[in-house]
Amino acid sequence: MYSEKLNGYPESEYLMLSGIQHFTFCRRQWALIHIEQQWEENLRTVEGNLFHKKAHDGYTAEKRRDLIISRGMPVFSRELGASGVCDIVEFYRDDEKGVSLYGREGKYLVYPVEYKKGKPKEDDSDVLQLAAQAICLEEMLACRVEKGYLFYGETRRRIEILLEEAVRQEVRDAFREMHQYYERRYTPKVKRTKACNACSLKNLCLPQLMKNPSAKAYIAQRIGEEEI
Ligand code: SF4
């Protein structure tokens, strides 16, 4: 039985940080990928992976005057029970409000930057992923991350995102729910929506979803049929 961890999750239970995008898009998609390890590469996911590979090909850090740009920085959070990699983290020198960094002179403000291949989405999955990265950075560096940036390859635009408490809470709630599913190795059944058309797992998921309708869905379907 799942129990909330008072001192955070042990490393052996960490989930993939980037999974929050899948989870926000569809809980079932997340479970198929992260619990059942099912993955079907289509053009969109291949292109997305290549775009990400360019953004972080191993960890590097580069200094430009008062700015340090770190690429491919590994991050984790005991509170979320998650780990992953930040495409880019920018550290701006600010000796008043910043935080000390190991081996660096001065203090710095910390901003994660997440690269996305496409354009801004209708759901807030990108924002939640950025907020999850911010929570990791805050825990690792004992600092406050007020904002971050999303960069979209299709529009070549960088959007500033203020990381409000409501978004952080959504991230915490999402990871708590993911851990509950993971602990039970449970793949939820969800309603088919128009988002399924854009889902990279539809060929794997939909036949299964349609094959075993829940009792409630079955009764609803039968009533619907009788009404027609
Ligand atoms: S096909 Fe639809 S229900 Fe299945 S995983 Fe994708 S979005 Fe979720």
Side-chain angles (χ1 to χ4, degrees), residues 51 54 115-120 150-159:
F51 188 77
K54 266 191 221 153
Y115 277 61
K116 296 289 171 197
K117 184 184 106 15
K119 52 186 185 206
L150 290 169
F151 178 86
Y152 289 95
E154 209 170 300
T155 55
R156 312 293 306 165
R157 279 196 58 219
R158 176 172 157 133
I159 302 172

Side-chain angles (χ1 to χ4, degrees), residues 25-26 28-29 32 190-193 195-196 199 201-202 205-206 209:
F25 178 72
C26 169
R28 182 170 168 82
Q29 193 204 57
L32 288 170
V190 298
K191 277 194 191 149
R192 190 182 167 158
T193 66
C196 297
C199 174
L201 290 184
K202 66 179 175 199
C205 163
L206 292 179
L209 198 59

Side-chain angles (χ1 to χ4, degrees), residues 20-188:
I20 195 165
Q21 293 171 90
H22 304 131
F23 193 76
T24 312
F25 178 72
C26 169
R27 282 161 167 68
R28 182 170 168 82
Q29 193 204 57
W30 173 82
L32 288 170
I33 296 170
H34 297 266
I35 299 177
E36 297 191 22
Q37 317 282 316
Q38 302 213 38
W39 188 249
E40 193 174 76
E41 297 257 32
N42 67 10
L43 187 64
R44 280 185 43 214
T45 54
V46 172
E47 281 176 355
N49 291 343
L50 288 175
F51 188 77
H52 264 262
K53 213 166 138 34
K54 266 191 221 153
H56 54 77
D57 236 343
Y59 176 73
T60 59
E62 150 196 355
K63 190 159 187 330
R64 297 182 193 163
R65 298 167 67 92
D66 285 344
L67 167 67
I68 300 168
I69 303 171
S70 119
R71 294 187 167 82
M73 181 174 168
V75 292
F76 68 90
S77 161
R78 267 190 281 270
E79 183 199 358
L80 298 179
S83 64
V85 173
C86 287
D87 287 336
I88 290 191
V89 183
E90 293 180 346
F91 299 91
Y92 287 86
R93 184 155 180 177
D94 183 327
D95 289 345
E96 259 180 57
K97 294 188 227 139
V99 65
S100 300
L101 299 177
Y102 179 77
R104 302 277 182 182
E105 201 183 303
K107 291 184 175 178
Y108 292 83
L109 295 173
V110 184
Y111 303 125
V113 185
E114 175 66 15
Y115 277 61
K116 296 289 171 197
K117 184 184 106 15
K119 52 186 185 206
K121 301 190 187 92
E122 279 175 25
D123 66 28
D124 55 0
S125 55
D126 295 344
V127 173
L128 292 180
Q129 189 185 2
L130 193 69
Q133 293 175 356
I135 291 172
C136 290
L137 290 165
E138 288 178 342
E139 195 179 305
M140 291 168 65
L141 301 171
C143 66
R144 177 80 181 167
V145 178
E146 298 290 347
K147 63 182 180 183
Y149 298 92
L150 290 169
F151 178 86
Y152 289 95
E154 209 170 300
T155 55
R156 312 293 306 165
R157 279 196 58 219
R158 176 172 157 133
I159 302 172
E160 182 181 292
I161 307 288
L162 293 178
L163 300 166
E164 313 276 6
E165 183 47 37
V167 178
R168 293 163 185 269
Q169 195 53 48
E170 248 187 273
V171 172
R172 291 188 197 103
D173 293 344
F175 274 100
R176 192 173 305 125
E177 204 180 324
M178 280 186 247
H179 278 284
Q180 288 169 354
Y181 289 141
Y182 197 88
E183 202 158 292
R184 293 161 52 210
R185 301 292 187 272
Y186 174 67
T187 300

